[in-house]
Amino acid sequence: MAARGARRLLGSLWIALFLGQPDPAAAAARSSSQSPAGSTVRTFTPFYFLVEPVDTLSVRGAFVILNCSAYCEPSPKIEWKKDGTFLNLVSDDRRQLLPDGSLLINGVVHSKHNKPDEGYYQCVATVESLGTIVSRTAKLTVAGLPRFTSQPESTSVYRGNSVILNCEVNADLVPFVRWEQDRQPFFLDDRVFTLPSGALIISNVTDGDGGLYRCVIESGGSPKYSDEAELKVLPDPEVPLNLVFLRQPSPLTKVTGQSAVFPCVTSGFPTPVIKWMRNEEELTIEDSERFLLLAGGSLEISDITEDDAGTYACIVDNGNETIEAQADLTVQAPPEFLKQPANIYAHESMDIVFECEVTGKPTPTVKWIKNGDMVIPSDYFKIVKEHNLQVLGLVKSDEGFYQCIAENDVGNAQAGAQLIILEHAPATTGPLPSAPRDVVASLVSTRFIKLTWRTPASDPHGDNLTYTVFYTKEGINRERVENTSRPGEMQVTIQNLMPETVYVFRVVAQNRHGPGESSIPLKVATQPEVQLPGPAPNIRAYANSPTSITVTWDTPLSGNGEIQNYKLYYMEKGTDNEQDVDVGGHSYTINGLKKYTEYSFRVVAYNKHGPGVSTQDVVVQTLSDVPSAAPQNLSLEVRNSKSIIIHWQPPPAGTHNGQITGYKIRYRKASRKSEVTESIGGTQLFQLIEGLERGTEYSFRVAALTSNGTGPATDWISAETFESDLDETRVPEVPSSLHVRPLVTSIVVSWTPPENQNIVVRGYAIGYGIGSPHAQTIKVDYKQRYYTIENLDPSSHYVITLKAFNNVGEGIPLYESAVTRPHTVPDPSPMMPPVGVQASILSHDTIRITWADNSLPKNQKITDARYYTVRWKTNIPANTKYKTANTTTLSYLVTSLKPNTLYEFSVMVTKGRRSSTWSMTAHGTTFELVPTSPPKDVTVVSKEGKPRTIIVNWQPPSEANGKITGYIIYYSTDVNAEIHDWVIEPVVGNRLTHQIQELTLDTPYYFKIQARNSKGMGPMSEAVQFRTPKALGSAGKGSRPLDIGPDYKPPMSGSNSPHGSPTSPLDSNMLLVIIVSVGVITIVIVVIVAVFCTRRTTSHQKKKRAACKSVNGSHKYKGNSKDVKPPDLWIHHERLELKPIDKSPDPNPIMTDTPIPRNSQDITPVDNSMDSNIHQRRNSYRGHESEDSMSTLAGRRGMRPKMMMPFDSQPPQQSVRNTPSTDTMPASSSQTCCADHQDPESATASYLANAQEEDSGQSLPTAHVRPSHPLKSFAVPAVPPTGSTYDPALPSTPLLTQQVHSVKTASIGTLGRTRPPMPVVVPSAPDVQETTRMLEDSESNYEPDELTKEMAHLEGLMKDLNAITTA
């Protein structure tokens, strides 16, 4: 209708031009224009405010001016309203109107019960015969009486620290507050400032800041003083002080254009460094003009914009600890016009619309004012499209000024426009049409009427006639107009009528000369509404629970018959899927709704005629509940040795079930029995946990909070604090990897941090350019792992460099190049990459990768042909290539990985020709495994100046498969000896060299090394041979005798001088006699023993065989329950007390006996001559073994004690020994049973060699591994002293944390070391009866075949002796 009215207006203007009158639009700059015919075309009159009043703060007794000035010709009349009522300024002696229209208030009155001047003021400008406009509303606030809510208190502060002195006053009085020091004005500078509350902050306190402080309020009248507070300045503390917040930032709500101050005042020593973050991004305050760091670290934001809103965090760090506080800044904006109303020309009966678009925060409300009076919406004045004003059926009185007034909590604004009602142009010379004929209502409905007519009698054809229909409600003089759409058309449909209402219609025809006569008014009544129910009144909806809402309503007022039922329609807000349910009553509860979700409801009543009128929609939100999902993407970042920062993302959308009010962080030490600590933070998505222990593993989990409680928590994830704080004395190392993905006009760069995590990384510098990386540089945060370089040229070769940097400087760059894609190639829209990639370590070579796909439904069910590609690599070495695998599920098992190796994983999804980018990387380190390669580069060198000492050097295994915790050095003179006959030396894992002392000169030794980690022992290295050097001079008196090497042969003549000097023939003959005598005596004893053994009963033979099997089974370390375990033995011989300990099932012992001599001094000779020594040993052997030599030997051979010792805890140079007062021990458990497995002569020799060697200076039992002489020389066993016993209370610790090998020691030689022995636990002795029975049962019983073997061994011995004598 407005468009048709506009066409009518344009027709009138065309007629005016035709008659020679000026165009009103062209004459807008003039007040009026006279036509030749003498008629006037009005123009818009400028009428607006030059100055409008603003909000003002005053004090009692002061004068106030509220400015106001309006422009118009003629000058307008200015009046004032207070709180909506006009002020009578004629009789007011305190308020007066200034010439420019401003309002002056003298002596503001303000008291507790009388506040006549405080309120809202509005300036009203009026021009007679033109209209009225009103200004914005200004608030006058009068500051209250001076009153302190808090006053400064005496305090002390360390020099260099910060201090805060409180002086809290009403916000209105803050501008009137100042401070005094020692009753003198205290001026502010770069160290001192006041908070908006009035509190005084002094940072970097000096001695001159001490004194008496007080704050003063000067708000008119006499000043009001606070209490005085003394500030004492203390010298610098000598010890660090904990960081403490003196004033934390608090939430602020500010209006755009204002300033905001976030206080962050701390106390502590050393002086901390303060940085600010906004929405988890660090603020760059140095380069900003609006952000200023005040004294002490507080943040001031000036000229606030809406973009400044967010969460601000103050992070304080002094090197020892870090504390953090945060607050939200909410920014409000006063109303601002996006589109102001425009001046409008119109004719009577037309419809017009004044447009008005506003913005603001909170959203402004809009009201309309016409000539200073509020426009009340009605049938003819309607608010459309939220803020626009529609006026229907204009009449002359609608002319004037219309103003759109927008207001919200922080301000108001106004904009106006003028409406001019034009007179119809006078008819030109020529015939006008007569009235249209036969106007009838051809169709009458409830809401519309269709009118038809015939052409006027004056113009029967009527092809060039247009028609205008005027209509109004009966009894209303405000006509509306409807024009036909084209010339010659003789019907029109009038819409939007009210049912059962009488309307009056008339039709006017118009030709090129003007409008003609009007038809006779036609009264038509619309039909009554079809007998359908009206809308149900009082519809209400309220939430019962997080998943249900109840809707109630009443019976429709215009039921038009019996209501049969109701239909309740509802749908989720923001969707188009409306659902309905049939209801018989006046209420219904809908269940199964989404939690904390808005729903709209409407009700339609049904009767026998059908559905009635729908109600208006009502919107209600279901109640909140605890979150139904855990936060996402939980990650840990170790900041230093005492703090870990946690990052996470909110739970998935749709699972919040309410407003997230915070997050609950639970953490504990990784051990299960440790206590759990809870920390509840705000809505930020990170939390810094401090006060942790160094080098300790902690587990963390996070749960989201709503007002209803705590939701499910994430899985526990762990991280270990650093053993020591990160190093920033040098630049970071090169990043471990750099990847680029070129697109058409951008390149996606991703990287991983340097391998050395012990150096601080503050950020990364990305350089790029065509052909050179130095064209442009971008710096990103240290937490960032990817960046997209934008605005690049297509099909161009770019060189990209990446450097990590810290406060020391930039590290070594990593280079990469890429060619952007050509612009002509269409880039299919990529899919969303998988999220939540997690690596779960299953074993030393297997890791399970899981992820989620946001492009799948919530149930994560794959129904299409998409597949996922998993790629992985390790950064050691740095040039390792990626390995990939495809899968159609949301997880993949990566196998064949290296043990104890850090891998990075990422996933991409492919569907058809579309693929996603690679996801964010997940990292996982495989478990450790026993070393699979031996130590390498084993070398043996002699120590300079000490020929009996050698140094073994080596390098760690190339396949350590974990942290090496220890090494074992095996050495022997016989490279073919069983490994348990080698001597061992344990070494801690952080050493790669070891000294072995007191070796035999001029003797070949073989060395092997075995590495160990937390999982066990690795393989041995190849044997390395080394021959000790020869002696340099003869051993003089008192010198240590030389060791007898394995190649030793008795001299043919001469004494046993080390130099091999000649001896007398008498000594040689004596040696021959001794050797022959020993041989004969040995044969006689063997024959006697053989005869005695053959007389043993068959039962004794069976018992002997059973004992042999039992001992052999135990020697093999089998864990068979059928093996017979020999009883504990307690043997007293030469101060020796040993008891066997349960053996490990592992057949590879790491400590065993060996025949290698370490010190010849420990052999106690009877005579200085070698032949007398041997002769004495043989005679002693026969005499001592006359009664129970075989039984005792068998019992002793069956005993092999074990000792467990921790490699990691012992001193590096301390060797493992076992010397329990004497040095007697069987050589091997394999020699402990039947003659089928043992050479009795060699066994006897081995035993006696050990029995003779003892360290008489030792009284406490100690543990040594002592080798015997290579010749296994016989020794005379001594009678054990009665006082030599074990102390069972000596401590013992396990040799290995995981018992991979059993530990056996046997004192089979003498070492004569000066290193301290290691104590062992010695078990208590068994009962005497048990020992006696054991000895009796273990008597030697030889069968005929066993004797045959013994005789063969003796014959071999005799041959050797004969060879010696003949030589």
Side-chain angles (χ1 to χ4, degrees):
M1 289 182 291
R4 294 171 183 171
R7 287 195 295 271
R8 176 76 175 271
L9 172 61
L10 290 175
S12 301
L13 295 177
W14 182 83
I15 294 172
L17 289 174
F18 182 79
L19 295 177
Q21 293 180 341
D23 185 355
R30 303 186 301 272
S31 60
S32 63
S33 179
Q34 187 72 26
S35 69
S39 64
T40 301
V41 176
R42 297 174 53 198
T43 60
F44 297 112
T45 303
F47 188 15
Y48 53 86
F49 284 103
L50 296 171
V51 179
E52 294 186 80
V54 296
D55 295 346
T56 304
L57 173 65
S58 179
V59 296
R60 185 177 58 177
F63 70 88
V64 175
I65 295 179
L66 297 175
N67 294 314
C68 179
S69 176
Y71 171 79
C72 188
E73 290 294 341
S75 297
K77 172 186 176 183
I78 301 297
E79 297 177 287
W80 283 87
K81 282 184 177 182
K82 177 181 179 294
D83 299 330
T85 304
F86 281 102
L87 292 175
N88 184 6
L89 302 178
V90 177
S91 58
D92 197 329
D93 55 350
R94 289 193 308 107
R95 300 187 184 98
Q96 66 182 77
L97 191 66
L98 299 180
D100 64 346
S102 300
L103 178 64
L104 171 64
I105 305 176
N106 286 305
V108 172
V109 176
H110 190 81
S111 64
K112 185 175 181 180
H113 301 290
N114 185 25
K115 303 175 182 179
D117 295 332
E118 194 172 59
Y120 293 90
Y121 289 81
Q122 197 172 30
C123 177
V124 181
T126 304
V127 175
E128 292 295 337
S129 73
L130 188 61
T132 300
I133 57 175
V134 297
S135 71
R136 69 177 301 277
T137 302
K139 182 181 180 181
L140 173 61
T141 304
V142 182
L145 297 176
R147 187 176 294 107
F148 296 101
T149 56
S150 68
Q151 303 198 37
E153 297 178 355
S154 297
T155 184
S156 58
V157 61
Y158 289 104
R159 186 187 302 115
N161 252 336
S162 298
V163 67
I164 183 167
L165 297 172
N166 288 321
C167 180
E168 305 289 340
V169 298
N170 190 310
D172 299 334
L173 295 172
V174 171
F176 309 105
V177 173
R178 64 177 179 84
W179 282 85
E180 291 183 352
Q181 179 188 18
D182 297 328
R183 305 291 178 93
Q184 297 297 321
F186 188 63
F187 299 102
L188 307 182
D189 55 23
D190 57 351
R191 290 189 312 110
V192 183
F193 73 99
T194 57
L195 291 177
S197 63
L200 178 68
I201 294 178
I202 307 175
S203 65
N204 194 17
V205 172
T206 62
D207 293 333
D209 293 326
L212 296 176
Y213 287 82
R214 67 178 181 181
C215 64
V216 186
I217 301 177
E218 293 178 330
S219 60
S222 59
K224 185 173 180 63
Y225 297 93
S226 70
D227 296 338
E228 283 190 325
E230 183 179 6
L231 177 63
K232 294 182 179 179
V233 180
L234 306 177
D236 291 337
E238 297 180 358
V239 297
L241 299 177
N242 291 335
L243 289 178
V244 178
F245 275 114
L246 301 179
R247 181 66 61 90
Q248 299 186 28
S250 56
L252 293 177
T253 299
K254 292 292 182 178
V255 180
T256 54
Q258 293 182 345
S259 297
V261 175
F262 279 117
C264 183
V265 186
T266 60
S267 172
F269 186 80
T271 303
V273 175
I274 296 178
K275 69 176 182 179
W276 283 88
M277 301 185 72
R278 180 180 66 189
N279 299 331
E280 301 185 34
E281 295 183 1
E282 186 170 355
L283 281 176
T284 54
I285 299 176
E286 294 79 5
D287 301 332
S288 175
E289 298 179 355
R290 297 190 303 107
F291 293 91
L292 177 64
L293 200 62
L294 301 177
S298 299
L299 178 66
E300 181 181 28
I301 310 171
S302 58
D303 193 16
I304 289 177
T305 65
E306 292 189 55
D307 294 336
D308 295 330
T311 300
Y312 288 78
C314 167
I315 301 177
V316 186
D317 186 5
N318 68 351
N320 296 330
E321 60 177 324
T322 303
I323 58 176
E324 177 184 349
Q326 62 181 19
D328 292 332
L329 173 62
T330 302
V331 178
Q332 295 181 332
E336 183 178 350
F337 288 101
L338 301 178
K339 178 181 285 188
Q340 297 188 9
N343 296 330
I344 295 178
Y345 282 115
H347 286 287
E348 284 189 272
S349 302
M350 287 178 57
D351 299 340
I352 63 164
V353 175
F354 284 110
E355 294 184 338
C356 180
E357 282 188 43
V358 293
T359 183
K361 191 174 182 181
T363 302
T365 60
V366 170
K367 62 182 179 180
W368 285 87
I369 291 179
K370 177 201 169 189
N371 291 331
D373 295 325
M374 179 85 68
V375 174
I376 300 175
S378 64
D379 292 340
Y380 296 94
F381 288 87
K382 295 183 178 181
I383 304 297
V384 296
K385 294 184 180 180
E386 295 186 1
H387 301 148
N388 297 340
L389 175 65
Q390 183 183 42
V391 183
L392 304 177
L394 288 176
V395 294
K396 186 63 176 177
S397 60
D398 292 333
E399 196 174 65
F401 283 89
Y402 289 80
Q403 289 178 280
C404 175
I405 307 278
E407 56 185 353
N408 61 10
D409 294 342
V410 294
N412 62 87
Q414 62 84 24
Q418 184 180 6
L419 171 63
I420 293 180
I421 306 295
L422 292 175
E423 299 288 345
H424 287 289
T428 60
T429 304
L432 297 176
S434 59
R437 297 173 293 173
D438 302 333
V439 178
V440 294
S442 59
L443 181 60
V444 179
S445 181
T446 56
R447 301 279 177 174
F448 67 89
I449 293 176
K450 182 178 181 181
L451 296 177
T452 59
W453 57 87
R454 292 195 304 126
T455 57
S458 60
D459 195 348
H461 298 289
D463 295 336
N464 296 322
L465 296 181
T466 58
Y467 300 90
T468 302
V469 178
F470 296 89
Y471 66 97
T472 182
K473 287 183 183 179
E474 187 178 26
I476 303 297
N477 59 0
R478 181 183 289 272
E479 277 188 329
R480 298 183 63 187
V481 65
E482 188 76 26
N483 295 318
T484 55
S485 57
R486 63 181 181 272
E489 185 179 16
M490 290 178 291
Q491 67 177 14
V492 71
T493 301
I494 310 298
Q495 302 279 357
N496 300 320
L497 303 179
M498 297 297 294
E500 212 169 356
T501 305
V502 178
Y503 286 87
V504 179
F505 299 90
R506 62 186 183 92
V507 182
V508 175
Q510 184 172 333
N511 61 14
R512 62 189 183 92
H513 300 294
E517 298 180 12
S518 173
S519 67
I520 301 173
L522 173 67
K523 291 185 180 181
V524 181
T526 54
Q527 296 289 334
E529 195 75 70
V530 179
Q531 293 191 357
L532 294 174
N538 299 328
I539 179 172
R540 296 179 299 274
Y542 55 90
N544 301 319
S545 70
T547 59
S548 64
I549 291 177
T550 297
V551 184
T552 63
W553 59 89
D554 295 336
T555 304
L557 299 178
S558 56
N560 294 329
E562 182 182 357
I563 301 297
Q564 292 181 341
N565 69 309
Y566 299 91
K567 185 162 286 191
L568 174 62
Y569 295 87
Y570 66 96
M571 68 177 176
E572 183 181 343
K573 197 74 171 176
T575 65
D576 296 328
N577 184 23
E578 189 174 45
Q579 305 178 59
D580 61 82
V581 60
D582 291 328
V583 183
H586 292 89
S587 65
Y588 189 79
T589 299
I590 301 175
N591 298 300
L593 303 178
K594 295 181 182 179
K595 299 177 180 179
Y596 199 66
T597 304
E598 283 190 337
Y599 286 86
S600 64
F601 300 87
R602 64 186 182 92
V603 175
V604 175
Y606 280 72
N607 63 10
K608 62 181 180 178
H609 300 289
V613 181
S614 172
T615 63
Q616 294 291 328
D617 288 353
V618 293
V619 179
V620 68
Q621 189 175 52
T622 51
L623 298 180
S624 61
D625 197 3
V626 297
S628 54
Q632 305 178 93
N633 302 334
L634 178 63
S635 63
L636 304 178
E637 179 185 345
V638 181
R639 295 292 295 272
N640 50 46
S641 61
K642 294 184 179 180
S643 64
I644 294 177
I645 189 169
I646 315 170
H647 295 270
W648 63 89
Q649 293 297 319
T655 64
H656 294 192
N657 302 337
Q659 189 72 30
I660 299 294
T661 59
Y663 292 90
K664 179 183 291 185
I665 296 99
R666 304 182 70 195
Y667 62 95
R668 67 184 184 193
K669 293 182 181 178
S671 56
R672 292 187 175 179
K673 295 183 180 180
S674 60
E675 297 183 356
V676 176
T677 304
E678 283 192 3
S679 173
I680 297 179
T683 56
Q684 77 276 6
L685 300 178
F686 64 94
Q687 181 73 26
L688 182 65
I689 305 297
E690 299 179 295
L692 305 179
E693 298 179 8
R694 296 176 181 266
T696 305
E697 185 177 6
Y698 287 86
S699 297
F700 297 82
R701 69 193 309 180
V702 179
L705 299 175
T706 63
S707 57
N708 302 82
T710 307
T714 60
D715 294 332
W716 290 100
I717 67 170
S718 302
E720 184 176 350
T721 54
F722 297 139
E723 287 287 351
S724 59
D725 289 326
L726 298 183
D727 178 21
E728 201 171 6
T729 60
R730 49 185 174 149
V731 298
E733 295 184 358
V734 62
S736 55
S737 69
L738 173 62
H739 310 284
V740 295
R741 181 173 181 266
L743 300 176
V744 179
T745 59
S746 62
I747 296 178
V748 179
V749 184
S750 62
W751 62 89
T752 55
E755 294 177 5
N756 187 354
Q757 301 289 322
N758 296 323
I759 304 177
V760 175
V761 176
R762 299 290 181 185
Y764 296 92
I766 304 170
Y768 66 95
I770 297 178
S772 171
H774 307 299
Q776 296 190 45
T777 302
I778 298 170
K779 291 189 176 182
V780 297
D781 190 70
Y782 73 97
K783 295 178 291 186
Q784 198 156 337
R785 295 290 179 267
Y786 64 91
Y787 183 79
T788 302
I789 305 175
E790 304 282 358
N791 302 322
L792 304 181
D793 296 332
S795 303
S796 300
H797 184 271
Y798 284 87
V799 179
I800 300 167
T801 180
L802 176 71
K803 294 179 285 186
F805 66 87
N806 57 17
N807 293 335
V808 178
E810 294 181 342
I812 302 173
L814 194 60
Y815 291 89
E816 190 62 83
S817 63
V819 178
T820 51
R821 297 181 182 179
H823 194 65
T824 57
V825 177
D827 187 16
S829 59
M831 300 182 68
M832 292 290 292
V835 298
V837 181
Q838 293 185 350
S840 303
I841 294 86
L842 303 182
S843 67
H844 66 275
D845 64 348
T846 304
I847 294 180
R848 178 180 294 279
I849 308 302
T850 59
W851 59 89
D853 191 345
N854 280 345
S855 62
L856 291 176
K858 290 184 178 179
N859 60 5
Q860 294 287 287
K861 186 175 182 181
I862 302 174
T863 58
D864 49 24
R866 70 181 64 199
Y867 65 91
Y868 301 87
T869 302
V870 182
R871 71 173 183 180
W872 65 93
K873 64 169 285 191
T874 177
N875 294 328
I876 303 174
N879 58 354
T880 306
K881 295 183 178 179
Y882 278 105
K883 294 183 179 180
T884 61
N886 294 335
T887 179
T888 57
T889 62
L890 294 177
S891 65
Y892 184 75
L893 203 64
V894 183
T895 58
S896 302
L897 301 178
K898 295 181 181 179
N900 192 45
T901 303
L902 174 65
Y903 285 87
E904 66 175 45
F905 302 86
S906 55
V907 186
M908 69 180 290
V909 58
T910 302
K911 180 180 178 183
R913 298 180 60 186
R914 299 172 60 215
S915 295
S916 72
T917 58
W918 289 104
S919 68
M920 297 184 68
T921 57
H923 295 80
T925 302
T926 51
F927 293 149
E928 293 188 1
L929 183 68
V930 295
T932 53
S933 66
K936 58 185 180 181
D937 302 338
V938 181
T939 59
V940 183
V941 297
S942 178
K943 188 170 184 179
E944 185 177 358
K946 293 185 179 181
R948 299 169 63 86
T949 301
I950 62 97
I951 301 175
V952 184
N953 302 304
W954 65 92
Q955 291 297 319
S958 57
E959 297 177 1
N961 299 340
K963 181 181 179 182
I964 297 300
T965 57
Y967 295 91
I968 299 177
I969 302 175
Y970 296 80
Y971 62 95
S972 172
T973 58
D974 184 5
V975 72
N976 297 320
E978 294 294 332
I979 193 61
H980 51 69
D981 290 332
W982 291 51
V983 182
I984 69 168
E985 287 279 347
V987 184
V988 294
N990 59 356
R991 296 182 63 86
L992 297 175
T993 183
H994 186 66
Q995 291 188 12
I996 300 178
Q997 304 174 355
E998 306 299 339
L999 297 181
T1000 305
L1001 296 176
D1002 195 20
T1003 303
Y1005 285 87
Y1006 299 90
F1007 297 86
K1008 297 182 179 180
I1009 303 183
Q1010 190 177 27
R1012 169 191 176 274
N1013 60 18
S1014 63
K1015 294 297 182 181
M1017 309 297 300
M1020 294 184 185
S1021 65
E1022 294 294 330
V1024 175
Q1025 182 183 8
F1026 179 81
R1027 176 180 287 274
T1028 53
K1030 297 181 180 181
L1032 301 177
S1034 62
K1037 183 178 181 181
S1039 64
R1040 174 179 297 175
L1042 295 176
D1043 292 57
I1044 302 175
D1047 299 330
Y1048 173 81
K1049 293 182 181 180
M1052 295 303 297
S1053 64
S1055 65
N1056 63 340
S1057 171
H1059 299 279
S1061 59
T1063 59
S1064 65
L1066 180 61
D1067 293 337
S1068 301
N1069 295 333
M1070 180 64 69
L1071 178 62
L1072 294 176
V1073 172
I1074 291 173
I1075 293 174
V1076 173
S1077 301
V1078 170
V1080 173
I1081 293 171
T1082 303
I1083 294 173
V1084 173
I1085 292 175
V1086 170
V1087 172
I1088 295 173
V1089 172
V1091 173
F1092 176 77
C1093 291
T1094 55
R1095 297 179 180 178
R1096 303 294 291 183
T1097 61
T1098 304
S1099 61
H1100 287 165
Q1101 295 174 2
K1102 295 180 179 179
K1103 187 183 306 180
K1104 179 65 179 179
R1105 291 174 181 173
C1108 292
K1109 293 179 180 179
S1110 173
V1111 174
N1112 288 336
S1114 63
H1115 165 66
K1116 295 178 181 178
Y1117 299 91
K1118 294 180 180 179
N1120 195 336
S1121 61
K1122 296 181 180 180
D1123 294 343
V1124 180
K1125 196 171 186 180
D1128 292 346
L1129 299 182
W1130 188 269
I1131 300 177
H1132 295 266
H1133 185 71
E1134 297 180 1
R1135 294 182 292 168
L1136 168 66
E1137 295 181 7
L1138 298 175
K1139 184 175 181 181
I1141 304 173
D1142 292 341
K1143 298 180 180 180
S1144 168
D1146 195 321
N1148 185 15
I1150 64 170
M1151 299 183 68
T1152 181
D1153 46 320
T1154 178
I1156 300 178
R1158 297 286 292 276
N1159 187 355
S1160 62
Q1161 188 178 12
D1162 291 336
I1163 303 174
T1164 307
V1166 176
D1167 191 8
N1168 282 338
S1169 62
M1170 183 65 190
D1171 50 354
S1172 63
N1173 189 6
I1174 297 175
H1175 179 72
Q1176 178 65 30
R1177 290 177 179 175
R1178 290 177 177 173
N1179 293 340
S1180 301
Y1181 167 71
R1182 290 300 181 187
H1184 185 75
E1185 299 292 335
S1186 60
E1187 294 181 0
D1188 58 352
S1189 63
M1190 296 306 293
S1191 63
T1192 305
L1193 223 74
R1196 290 170 184 167
R1197 282 198 299 259
M1199 297 189 42
R1200 179 171 295 272
K1202 296 190 297 182
M1203 180 180 67
M1204 308 300 290
M1205 180 180 302
F1207 288 163
D1208 301 337
S1209 62
Q1210 62 180 349
Q1213 293 296 333
Q1214 182 170 339
S1215 62
V1216 182
R1217 307 183 187 181
N1218 184 19
T1219 311
S1221 296
T1222 70
D1223 303 318
T1224 307
M1225 187 171 293
S1228 172
S1229 62
S1230 63
Q1231 303 168 356
T1232 63
C1233 194
C1234 309
D1236 294 340
H1237 306 284
Q1238 174 65 40
D1239 182 351
E1241 180 90 1
S1242 62
T1244 306
S1246 175
Y1247 166 72
L1248 291 175
N1250 300 322
Q1252 171 64 23
E1253 297 161 0
E1254 67 172 332
D1255 187 354
S1256 62
Q1258 296 178 353
S1259 60
L1260 292 176
T1262 56
H1264 295 259
V1265 176
R1266 293 195 175 189
S1268 67
H1269 195 280
L1271 290 182
K1272 300 183 180 179
S1273 59
F1274 299 92
V1276 180
V1279 179
T1282 58
S1284 177
T1285 59
Y1286 278 29
D1287 184 0
L1290 291 175
S1292 174
T1293 55
L1295 179 60
L1296 302 175
T1297 57
Q1298 296 183 7
Q1299 300 184 9
V1300 181
H1301 302 286
S1302 64
V1303 181
K1304 301 192 299 176
T1305 62
S1307 176
I1308 57 175
T1310 56
L1311 300 178
R1313 297 187 181 182
T1314 58
R1315 288 177 287 177
M1318 178 166 289
V1320 298
V1321 170
V1322 181
S1324 58
D1327 297 338
V1328 177
Q1329 294 82 356
E1330 182 183 356
T1331 306
T1332 305
R1333 287 195 303 270
M1334 185 63 198
L1335 294 176
E1336 291 175 354
D1337 294 340
S1338 61
E1339 290 181 356
S1340 302
N1341 297 291
Y1342 294 91
E1343 295 185 2
D1345 55 347
E1346 296 172 343
L1347 291 175
T1348 302
K1349 295 181 180 179
E1350 293 294 333
M1351 293 300 295
H1353 286 301
L1354 289 175
E1355 289 175 3
L1357 178 62
M1358 292 301 297
K1359 290 179 181 180
D1360 294 338
L1361 293 174
N1362 291 333
I1364 295 173
T1365 56
T1366 57

